Amino acid sequence: MTATLENAPAKGETVLRLRGVSKNFGAVSALTDIELEVKAGEVVALVGDNGAGKSTLVKVLAGVHQPSAGTIEFCGRQVTLDSPAKALDLGIATVFQDLALCENLDVVANLFLGHELSPWALDEVAMEVRAWTLLRELAARIPSVREPIASLSGGQRQTVAIARSLLLDPRLIMLDEPTAALGVAQTAEVLNLIERVRDRGLGVIIISHNMEDVRAVADRIVVLRLGKNNGVFTPDSSNQELVSAITGATDNSVSRRAERKSGHAQESHGGAA
Amino acid sequence: MSQNPSQPMLDRSDERVRHDDSLAAMAKGFIDRVRSGDLGMLPVAVGLVVISIVFSALNPVFLAPNNLVNLLFDCATVGVISLGIVCVLVLGEIDLSVGSMSGLSSAMVGVLWVNMGLPVAVGILAALVAGAAVGLLYAALYNRLGMPSFVATLAGLLALLGLQLYILGPTGSINLPYASVLVRFGQILIMPDWLSYVLALLPGLAMVGRGLRTRSQRLAANLSAQPMRALILKAVVLTAVLEAAMFYLNLGRGLPWMFALFVALAVLLNYALTRTQWGRSMFAVGGNKEAARRSGINVRRIYTSAFVLCSTLAALGGVLSAARLASSSQQAGTGDVNLNAIAAAVIGGTSLFGGRGSAYSALLGIIVIQAISNGLTLLNLSSSLRYMITGGVLAIAVIVDSLARRSRVSHGRA
């Protein structure tokens, strides 16, 4: 079994394009005229403060919410995502923040949940082989695929969740806060995993509050603020620029705190000299 | 063996995992599992040994072959109900109305067959359809209105009991004809000796056959396989135990056909739960409903299937108990039927908390429960004492389940 997909778009080709997507919940407009483009083999980070509309956007793309206006183009065709199953069928996979794994089932059962091979006489051997192959491609360190999920660490669970989203050969994968609950080593593993997924030619959307992680893997950083686009940045743009785009002001609590800190540092430095 | 030293087997490449291959290591693995709260069939084995020692000391008739044959007749009726309970417990739900449902179905058979003179098959079919309809109603209440199954089925317990009394009318009891096939099935029909010996060979043969096939498939796919010795040893022990049991039963009347039907249903349900997508979805929904929904499982349909299966099996249990007692009465399905069916599943290792269980837990659990009930009857204890003791046994079973679950959580086994 090879990692590359026959029907995968060539690297650099646009996988997903949103034009003027809006979403209203009653009188509240959660998203207004969102423009977003994701290419194959590209990691796009979606950042923004709480309530900026990141999760709403992910839910729109996962088929959970329907947009109020705007068009979604997937692999060059305009599509309507009216159910989670439709999004999955098209090749949009989502790794939710709470992972949504069944702790009482083993790794193989979780990977194939809802998509088991030969439903009337489960083909455990084929599923186990496929599970090992997939986990090996992701260089995942899972000791045994026949242990229940309950015995795995947070990073290993994240790996299983990501592997599961890859099982159906998606073209776009969305990760909601993949490193939020993880330790230093596990975070690094998940970031490596994201890079490997990108190298397989998939488009990746990652949501994170952690600027360090975002800078480490993202090719582009898209900032949302109050449900609107608020700039696209490259990973080497300064923290100052990013934070002011996220918070919407050059004079914000983050920059004030940074100033105060550096002021303190200089004072104490001067005192010693 | 196709193992290539330069390329380790797919599932043996992580050196952190201990692999229990030798028999001693497998025994150690078993002890580890039990210590971490994965009790499996251990409570049943311990329970049966204790029960046999206590009751045969108090009354030697308890272990007489013919008493055990009677015990198996009794097991079949409540055991079939318990199979349905396993289905709803796996989802983390409960059906408290199975006793009333079985009573209603036995009343329906009596009224339709004896009082109205319809063919017995029509009566049985009507009872099963009624069971399925009640299950559909519970599922609708749960899925559409969000009514907890605990409350819905508690209401059902009363409503179905009322319906049972209503259709039985003022006479309150209908005797079923003794010469009929149904009653003979419930009281007399015994398998020929030779057939019971042949059937007792089947589980061992199936185990070896499936084991060898899985083994060759796994080795061909470069996965590790269960060692041959362990497979053969298990099959030999299982066959020896079953053949010895058949020999002992055949010293008396022999193996009841009704019990064979119960075992066949248990085997069928076990296949459905462990080897089909439906079964996998059942355990997924029982473990994490939201995760199951997001992976594309139709959660409502799974709940519906479980409630319908449970009520239908309860109705079938009611038909069998009518056959066993040769009557449809107001007492059918009342008393401890409900709790015995639930206790059997729990004692056999199906968790009340959902996500864990097996069809065989009903099979083995009901033998424990009926052995207690049978032993107490032999001691001529009043029903007051019997209720107290059965209640105590149920409480102990649930306590064991809760403690085992806590231990599993702390050992990372969910």
Side-chain angles (χ1 to χ4, degrees), chain A residues 142-198:
Chain A
I142 303 283
S144 162
V145 292
R146 286 299 178 193
E147 285 291 313
I149 292 289
S151 65
L152 299 186
S153 73
Q156 290 170 333
R157 289 176 201 212
Q158 188 80 51
T159 310
V160 173
I162 295 176
R164 178 165 77 179
S165 66
L166 294 175
L167 192 73
L168 296 176
D169 282 348
R171 298 175 190 185
L172 176 72
I173 165 169
M174 297 186 288
L175 303 120
D176 194 351
E177 292 281 8
T179 57
L182 300 185
V184 182
Q186 283 89 355
T187 300
E189 276 188 29
V190 168
L191 294 182
N192 287 341
L193 207 57
I194 291 173
E195 277 167 1
R196 277 189 219 105
V197 169
R198 177 191 62 193

Short mmCIF file of all heavy atoms in Angstrom, two decimals, chain A residues 142-198:
data_model
loop_
_atom_site.label_atom_id
_atom_site.label_comp_id
_atom_site.label_asym_id
_atom_site.label_seq_id
_atom_site.Cartn_x
_atom_site.Cartn_y
_atom_site.Cartn_z
N ILE A 142 2.91 3.71 18.39
CA ILE A 142 1.83 3.05 19.14
C ILE A 142 2.33 1.65 19.47
O ILE A 142 2.70 0.91 18.58
CB ILE A 142 0.56 2.94 18.27
CG1 ILE A 142 0.11 4.31 17.77
CG2 ILE A 142 -0.55 2.24 19.03
CD1 ILE A 142 -0.58 5.15 18.79
N PRO A 143 2.40 1.30 20.76
CA PRO A 143 2.99 0.00 21.09
C PRO A 143 2.19 -1.17 20.54
O PRO A 143 2.75 -2.12 20.02
CB PRO A 143 3.01 0.01 22.62
CG PRO A 143 2.16 1.12 23.06
CD PRO A 143 2.05 2.09 21.94
N SER A 144 0.87 -1.12 20.67
CA SER A 144 0.07 -2.25 20.21
C SER A 144 -1.28 -1.74 19.75
O SER A 144 -1.91 -0.94 20.42
CB SER A 144 -0.11 -3.27 21.34
OG SER A 144 -1.18 -4.12 21.03
N VAL A 145 -1.74 -2.20 18.58
CA VAL A 145 -3.02 -1.72 18.07
C VAL A 145 -4.18 -2.54 18.64
O VAL A 145 -5.32 -2.29 18.31
CB VAL A 145 -3.09 -1.77 16.54
CG1 VAL A 145 -2.15 -0.78 15.93
CG2 VAL A 145 -2.84 -3.17 16.02
N ARG A 146 -3.87 -3.51 19.48
CA ARG A 146 -4.94 -4.31 20.07
C ARG A 146 -5.20 -3.94 21.52
O ARG A 146 -5.89 -4.65 22.24
CB ARG A 146 -4.59 -5.80 19.96
CG ARG A 146 -4.76 -6.34 18.54
CD ARG A 146 -6.18 -6.20 18.08
NE ARG A 146 -6.35 -6.65 16.69
CZ ARG A 146 -7.44 -6.40 15.98
NH1 ARG A 146 -8.42 -5.67 16.49
NH2 ARG A 146 -7.55 -6.83 14.76
N GLU A 147 -4.63 -2.83 21.96
CA GLU A 147 -4.90 -2.33 23.30
C GLU A 147 -6.02 -1.30 23.21
O GLU A 147 -6.09 -0.54 22.23
CB GLU A 147 -3.66 -1.66 23.89
CG GLU A 147 -2.59 -2.63 24.34
CD GLU A 147 -3.01 -3.42 25.56
OE1 GLU A 147 -3.51 -2.81 26.51
OE2 GLU A 147 -2.85 -4.65 25.53
N PRO A 148 -6.91 -1.22 24.21
CA PRO A 148 -7.94 -0.17 24.16
C PRO A 148 -7.32 1.22 24.23
O PRO A 148 -6.24 1.41 24.78
CB PRO A 148 -8.79 -0.45 25.40
CG PRO A 148 -7.98 -1.36 26.26
CD PRO A 148 -7.05 -2.10 25.36
N ILE A 149 -8.02 2.20 23.63
CA ILE A 149 -7.55 3.57 23.60
C ILE A 149 -7.26 4.10 25.01
O ILE A 149 -6.38 4.92 25.21
CB ILE A 149 -8.61 4.46 22.91
CG1 ILE A 149 -8.71 4.11 21.43
CG2 ILE A 149 -8.30 5.93 23.07
CD1 ILE A 149 -7.54 4.53 20.62
N ALA A 150 -8.00 3.57 26.00
CA ALA A 150 -7.84 4.06 27.37
C ALA A 150 -6.40 3.93 27.85
O ALA A 150 -5.97 4.67 28.73
CB ALA A 150 -8.77 3.28 28.30
N SER A 151 -5.63 2.98 27.28
CA SER A 151 -4.28 2.77 27.78
C SER A 151 -3.25 3.66 27.06
O SER A 151 -2.08 3.58 27.35
CB SER A 151 -3.89 1.30 27.60
OG SER A 151 -3.83 0.99 26.23
N LEU A 152 -3.70 4.51 26.14
CA LEU A 152 -2.75 5.34 25.39
C LEU A 152 -2.58 6.71 26.02
O LEU A 152 -3.48 7.21 26.70
CB LEU A 152 -3.23 5.51 23.94
CG LEU A 152 -3.39 4.25 23.11
CD1 LEU A 152 -3.72 4.61 21.69
CD2 LEU A 152 -2.15 3.39 23.16
N SER A 153 -1.43 7.34 25.75
CA SER A 153 -1.18 8.69 26.25
C SER A 153 -1.90 9.70 25.35
O SER A 153 -2.38 9.36 24.27
CB SER A 153 0.31 8.96 26.24
OG SER A 153 0.74 9.14 24.91
N GLY A 154 -1.92 10.97 25.80
CA GLY A 154 -2.59 12.00 25.03
C GLY A 154 -2.03 12.14 23.62
O GLY A 154 -2.78 12.25 22.65
N GLY A 155 -0.70 12.11 23.50
CA GLY A 155 -0.09 12.25 22.18
C GLY A 155 -0.42 11.08 21.28
O GLY A 155 -0.69 11.25 20.08
N GLN A 156 -0.43 9.87 21.88
CA GLN A 156 -0.76 8.69 21.08
C GLN A 156 -2.21 8.74 20.61
O GLN A 156 -2.52 8.37 19.48
CB GLN A 156 -0.52 7.43 21.91
CG GLN A 156 0.96 7.17 22.14
CD GLN A 156 1.19 6.08 23.16
OE1 GLN A 156 0.36 5.85 24.04
NE2 GLN A 156 2.32 5.40 23.06
N ARG A 157 -3.10 9.25 21.49
CA ARG A 157 -4.50 9.37 21.08
C ARG A 157 -4.64 10.36 19.93
O ARG A 157 -5.39 10.14 18.99
CB ARG A 157 -5.36 9.86 22.25
CG ARG A 157 -5.53 8.81 23.31
CD ARG A 157 -6.29 9.38 24.47
NE ARG A 157 -6.04 8.56 25.64
CZ ARG A 157 -6.92 8.36 26.60
NH1 ARG A 157 -8.09 8.94 26.54
NH2 ARG A 157 -6.61 7.61 27.61
N GLN A 158 -3.90 11.47 20.03
CA GLN A 158 -3.94 12.46 18.96
C GLN A 158 -3.48 11.81 17.66
O GLN A 158 -4.06 12.04 16.59
CB GLN A 158 -3.03 13.64 19.33
CG GLN A 158 -3.14 14.81 18.40
CD GLN A 158 -4.37 15.64 18.72
OE1 GLN A 158 -4.58 16.03 19.84
NE2 GLN A 158 -5.19 15.92 17.71
N THR A 159 -2.42 10.98 17.77
CA THR A 159 -1.92 10.28 16.58
C THR A 159 -3.00 9.39 15.98
O THR A 159 -3.20 9.37 14.76
CB THR A 159 -0.71 9.42 16.96
OG1 THR A 159 0.20 10.23 17.68
CG2 THR A 159 -0.05 8.86 15.73
N VAL A 160 -3.70 8.66 16.85
CA VAL A 160 -4.75 7.76 16.36
C VAL A 160 -5.85 8.59 15.68
O VAL A 160 -6.35 8.21 14.61
CB VAL A 160 -5.33 6.92 17.52
CG1 VAL A 160 -6.54 6.13 17.04
CG2 VAL A 160 -4.28 5.99 18.07
N ALA A 161 -6.21 9.71 16.30
CA ALA A 161 -7.27 10.55 15.72
C ALA A 161 -6.85 11.06 14.34
O ALA A 161 -7.64 11.08 13.40
CB ALA A 161 -7.60 11.71 16.65
N ILE A 162 -5.58 11.47 14.22
CA ILE A 162 -5.11 11.96 12.92
C ILE A 162 -5.07 10.81 11.91
O ILE A 162 -5.50 10.94 10.76
CB ILE A 162 -3.72 12.63 13.07
CG1 ILE A 162 -3.85 13.89 13.93
CG2 ILE A 162 -3.15 12.98 11.71
CD1 ILE A 162 -2.54 14.58 14.21
N ALA A 163 -4.58 9.66 12.37
CA ALA A 163 -4.51 8.50 11.47
C ALA A 163 -5.91 8.14 10.97
O ALA A 163 -6.11 7.81 9.81
CB ALA A 163 -3.87 7.31 12.18
N ARG A 164 -6.90 8.22 11.88
CA ARG A 164 -8.25 7.87 11.48
C ARG A 164 -8.76 8.82 10.39
O ARG A 164 -9.42 8.40 9.45
CB ARG A 164 -9.20 7.93 12.67
CG ARG A 164 -10.61 7.62 12.24
CD ARG A 164 -11.50 7.30 13.37
NE ARG A 164 -11.91 8.48 14.07
CZ ARG A 164 -12.72 8.45 15.12
NH1 ARG A 164 -13.15 7.32 15.57
NH2 ARG A 164 -13.07 9.56 15.71
N SER A 165 -8.42 10.11 10.52
CA SER A 165 -8.89 11.05 9.51
C SER A 165 -8.23 10.78 8.16
O SER A 165 -8.78 11.12 7.12
CB SER A 165 -8.62 12.49 9.97
OG SER A 165 -7.23 12.70 10.01
N LEU A 166 -7.05 10.14 8.19
CA LEU A 166 -6.35 9.87 6.93
C LEU A 166 -6.83 8.59 6.26
O LEU A 166 -6.55 8.35 5.09
CB LEU A 166 -4.84 9.76 7.19
CG LEU A 166 -4.18 11.05 7.64
CD1 LEU A 166 -2.74 10.79 7.97
CD2 LEU A 166 -4.30 12.08 6.54
N LEU A 167 -7.56 7.77 7.02
CA LEU A 167 -7.92 6.44 6.53
C LEU A 167 -8.75 6.49 5.26
O LEU A 167 -8.64 5.63 4.40
CB LEU A 167 -8.67 5.70 7.64
CG LEU A 167 -8.86 4.21 7.40
CD1 LEU A 167 -7.55 3.49 7.59
CD2 LEU A 167 -9.91 3.65 8.33
N LEU A 168 -9.61 7.50 5.17
CA LEU A 168 -10.50 7.56 4.02
C LEU A 168 -9.88 8.32 2.86
O LEU A 168 -10.58 8.77 1.96
CB LEU A 168 -11.82 8.23 4.43
CG LEU A 168 -12.64 7.46 5.47
CD1 LEU A 168 -13.86 8.25 5.87
CD2 LEU A 168 -13.04 6.11 4.94
N ASP A 169 -8.55 8.46 2.85
CA ASP A 169 -7.84 9.16 1.80
C ASP A 169 -8.41 10.55 1.51
O ASP A 169 -8.87 10.83 0.40
CB ASP A 169 -7.86 8.34 0.49
CG ASP A 169 -6.85 7.22 0.55
OD1 ASP A 169 -6.01 7.25 1.47
OD2 ASP A 169 -6.88 6.34 -0.31
N PRO A 170 -8.41 11.43 2.50
CA PRO A 170 -8.95 12.77 2.27
C PRO A 170 -7.97 13.62 1.46
O PRO A 170 -6.82 13.22 1.26
CB PRO A 170 -9.09 13.33 3.68
CG PRO A 170 -7.97 12.68 4.43
CD PRO A 170 -7.79 11.32 3.84
N ARG A 171 -8.44 14.75 0.97
CA ARG A 171 -7.54 15.69 0.29
C ARG A 171 -7.26 16.90 1.15
O ARG A 171 -6.34 17.65 0.90
CB ARG A 171 -8.18 16.15 -1.01
CG ARG A 171 -8.42 14.99 -1.93
CD ARG A 171 -9.14 15.43 -3.13
NE ARG A 171 -9.58 14.29 -3.90
CZ ARG A 171 -10.16 14.40 -5.07
NH1 ARG A 171 -10.37 15.60 -5.59
NH2 ARG A 171 -10.54 13.33 -5.72
N LEU A 172 -8.14 17.09 2.13
CA LEU A 172 -7.97 18.23 3.03
C LEU A 172 -8.22 17.72 4.44
O LEU A 172 -9.16 16.97 4.68
CB LEU A 172 -8.99 19.32 2.69
CG LEU A 172 -9.00 20.53 3.60
CD1 LEU A 172 -7.77 21.38 3.36
CD2 LEU A 172 -10.26 21.35 3.41
N ILE A 173 -7.35 18.09 5.36
CA ILE A 173 -7.56 17.66 6.73
C ILE A 173 -7.51 18.89 7.64
O ILE A 173 -6.65 19.76 7.47
CB ILE A 173 -6.54 16.57 7.14
CG1 ILE A 173 -6.49 16.37 8.65
CG2 ILE A 173 -5.17 16.83 6.63
CD1 ILE A 173 -5.68 15.14 9.02
N MET A 174 -8.49 18.98 8.53
CA MET A 174 -8.57 20.12 9.44
C MET A 174 -8.31 19.64 10.85
O MET A 174 -8.91 18.66 11.30
CB MET A 174 -9.96 20.76 9.38
CG MET A 174 -10.29 21.33 8.03
SD MET A 174 -11.84 22.20 8.08
CE MET A 174 -12.98 20.86 8.21
N LEU A 175 -7.41 20.31 11.56
CA LEU A 175 -7.11 19.92 12.93
C LEU A 175 -7.46 21.07 13.86
O LEU A 175 -6.93 22.18 13.71
CB LEU A 175 -5.63 19.58 13.07
CG LEU A 175 -5.12 18.48 12.16
CD1 LEU A 175 -4.02 19.01 11.27
CD2 LEU A 175 -4.65 17.31 12.96
N ASP A 176 -8.37 20.82 14.80
CA ASP A 176 -8.79 21.85 15.74
C ASP A 176 -7.98 21.70 17.02
O ASP A 176 -8.13 20.71 17.73
CB ASP A 176 -10.29 21.70 16.02
CG ASP A 176 -10.87 22.92 16.70
OD1 ASP A 176 -10.08 23.81 17.09
OD2 ASP A 176 -12.10 23.00 16.83
N GLU A 177 -7.11 22.67 17.28
CA GLU A 177 -6.27 22.68 18.49
C GLU A 177 -5.58 21.32 18.72
O GLU A 177 -5.76 20.69 19.77
CB GLU A 177 -7.14 23.00 19.72
CG GLU A 177 -7.66 24.40 19.75
CD GLU A 177 -6.62 25.41 20.20
OE1 GLU A 177 -5.43 25.02 20.36
OE2 GLU A 177 -6.98 26.58 20.35
N PRO A 178 -4.77 20.86 17.77
CA PRO A 178 -4.20 19.51 17.92
C PRO A 178 -3.17 19.41 19.04
O PRO A 178 -2.88 18.31 19.49
CB PRO A 178 -3.55 19.25 16.56
CG PRO A 178 -3.26 20.59 16.02
CD PRO A 178 -4.33 21.51 16.53
N THR A 179 -2.62 20.54 19.49
CA THR A 179 -1.56 20.44 20.50
C THR A 179 -1.99 20.99 21.84
O THR A 179 -1.18 21.08 22.76
CB THR A 179 -0.30 21.20 20.04
OG1 THR A 179 -0.66 22.56 19.79
CG2 THR A 179 0.26 20.59 18.78
N ALA A 180 -3.28 21.37 21.98
CA ALA A 180 -3.71 22.09 23.19
C ALA A 180 -3.42 21.31 24.46
O ALA A 180 -3.00 21.87 25.46
CB ALA A 180 -5.19 22.41 23.09
N ALA A 181 -3.64 19.99 24.44
CA ALA A 181 -3.56 19.23 25.69
C ALA A 181 -2.25 18.46 25.80
O ALA A 181 -2.15 17.57 26.63
CB ALA A 181 -4.74 18.28 25.77
N LEU A 182 -1.26 18.79 24.98
CA LEU A 182 -0.11 17.90 24.90
C LEU A 182 1.14 18.47 25.56
O LEU A 182 1.31 19.68 25.67
CB LEU A 182 0.20 17.61 23.43
CG LEU A 182 -0.93 16.94 22.66
CD1 LEU A 182 -0.48 16.59 21.28
CD2 LEU A 182 -1.41 15.71 23.39
N GLY A 183 2.02 17.57 25.97
CA GLY A 183 3.30 17.95 26.53
C GLY A 183 4.27 18.35 25.44
O GLY A 183 3.94 18.36 24.25
N VAL A 184 5.48 18.69 25.85
CA VAL A 184 6.48 19.20 24.91
C VAL A 184 6.80 18.16 23.83
O VAL A 184 6.75 18.43 22.64
CB VAL A 184 7.76 19.60 25.67
CG1 VAL A 184 8.78 20.17 24.71
CG2 VAL A 184 7.44 20.59 26.76
N ALA A 185 7.12 16.95 24.29
CA ALA A 185 7.53 15.91 23.33
C ALA A 185 6.37 15.52 22.42
O ALA A 185 6.54 15.38 21.20
CB ALA A 185 8.04 14.69 24.09
N GLN A 186 5.18 15.38 23.02
CA GLN A 186 4.01 14.98 22.21
C GLN A 186 3.66 16.05 21.20
O GLN A 186 3.28 15.75 20.07
CB GLN A 186 2.81 14.71 23.11
CG GLN A 186 2.86 13.39 23.84
CD GLN A 186 3.55 13.51 25.17
OE1 GLN A 186 4.07 14.59 25.49
NE2 GLN A 186 3.59 12.45 25.92
N THR A 187 3.81 17.33 21.62
CA THR A 187 3.54 18.43 20.68
C THR A 187 4.46 18.32 19.48
O THR A 187 4.03 18.42 18.32
CB THR A 187 3.74 19.78 21.38
OG1 THR A 187 2.83 19.85 22.47
CG2 THR A 187 3.46 20.92 20.43
N ALA A 188 5.75 18.09 19.76
CA ALA A 188 6.71 17.96 18.67
C ALA A 188 6.33 16.81 17.75
O ALA A 188 6.41 16.92 16.52
CB ALA A 188 8.11 17.75 19.23
N GLU A 189 5.88 15.71 18.35
CA GLU A 189 5.49 14.55 17.53
C GLU A 189 4.32 14.89 16.63
O GLU A 189 4.29 14.53 15.46
CB GLU A 189 5.13 13.36 18.43
CG GLU A 189 6.34 12.57 18.86
CD GLU A 189 5.96 11.30 19.59
OE1 GLU A 189 4.88 10.78 19.30
OE2 GLU A 189 6.74 10.85 20.43
N VAL A 190 3.33 15.61 17.20
CA VAL A 190 2.16 15.96 16.40
C VAL A 190 2.56 16.93 15.28
O VAL A 190 2.08 16.80 14.14
CB VAL A 190 1.05 16.55 17.29
CG1 VAL A 190 -0.03 17.17 16.44
CG2 VAL A 190 0.47 15.46 18.17
N LEU A 191 3.47 17.86 15.58
CA LEU A 191 3.91 18.79 14.53
C LEU A 191 4.64 18.03 13.43
O LEU A 191 4.44 18.29 12.23
CB LEU A 191 4.81 19.87 15.13
CG LEU A 191 4.11 20.82 16.13
CD1 LEU A 191 5.07 21.88 16.63
CD2 LEU A 191 2.88 21.45 15.52
N ASN A 192 5.47 17.05 13.82
CA ASN A 192 6.12 16.21 12.81
C ASN A 192 5.08 15.51 11.95
O ASN A 192 5.22 15.40 10.73
CB ASN A 192 7.00 15.14 13.48
CG ASN A 192 8.25 15.75 14.08
OD1 ASN A 192 8.63 16.86 13.71
ND2 ASN A 192 8.87 15.03 15.00
N LEU A 193 4.05 15.03 12.64
CA LEU A 193 2.98 14.31 11.97
C LEU A 193 2.30 15.20 10.93
O LEU A 193 2.04 14.79 9.80
CB LEU A 193 1.97 13.88 13.03
CG LEU A 193 1.13 12.66 12.80
CD1 LEU A 193 2.01 11.47 12.56
CD2 LEU A 193 0.27 12.40 14.03
N ILE A 194 2.05 16.45 11.31
CA ILE A 194 1.41 17.38 10.39
C ILE A 194 2.30 17.60 9.16
O ILE A 194 1.82 17.64 8.03
CB ILE A 194 1.12 18.71 11.11
CG1 ILE A 194 0.02 18.51 12.16
CG2 ILE A 194 0.71 19.80 10.12
CD1 ILE A 194 -0.21 19.69 13.04
N GLU A 195 3.60 17.69 9.40
CA GLU A 195 4.51 17.88 8.26
C GLU A 195 4.50 16.67 7.34
O GLU A 195 4.52 16.80 6.11
CB GLU A 195 5.93 18.16 8.77
CG GLU A 195 6.10 19.63 9.11
CD GLU A 195 7.36 19.91 9.91
OE1 GLU A 195 8.11 18.95 10.18
OE2 GLU A 195 7.57 21.08 10.25
N ARG A 196 4.42 15.48 7.95
CA ARG A 196 4.38 14.27 7.11
C ARG A 196 3.09 14.22 6.30
O ARG A 196 3.09 13.84 5.13
CB ARG A 196 4.50 13.01 7.97
CG ARG A 196 5.94 12.71 8.27
CD ARG A 196 6.09 11.37 8.93
NE ARG A 196 7.12 11.52 9.94
CZ ARG A 196 6.90 11.59 11.22
NH1 ARG A 196 5.69 11.46 11.68
NH2 ARG A 196 7.89 11.77 12.05
N VAL A 197 1.99 14.62 6.92
CA VAL A 197 0.71 14.65 6.20
C VAL A 197 0.80 15.63 5.04
O VAL A 197 0.35 15.35 3.92
CB VAL A 197 -0.42 15.04 7.17
CG1 VAL A 197 -1.69 15.34 6.41
CG2 VAL A 197 -0.67 13.94 8.18
N ARG A 198 1.41 16.79 5.28
CA ARG A 198 1.56 17.78 4.23
C ARG A 198 2.42 17.22 3.09
O ARG A 198 2.11 17.38 1.92
CB ARG A 198 2.22 19.04 4.80
CG ARG A 198 2.50 20.09 3.75
CD ARG A 198 3.38 21.17 4.29
NE ARG A 198 4.69 20.62 4.68
CZ ARG A 198 5.56 21.28 5.41
NH1 ARG A 198 5.29 22.50 5.84
NH2 ARG A 198 6.72 20.74 5.72
#
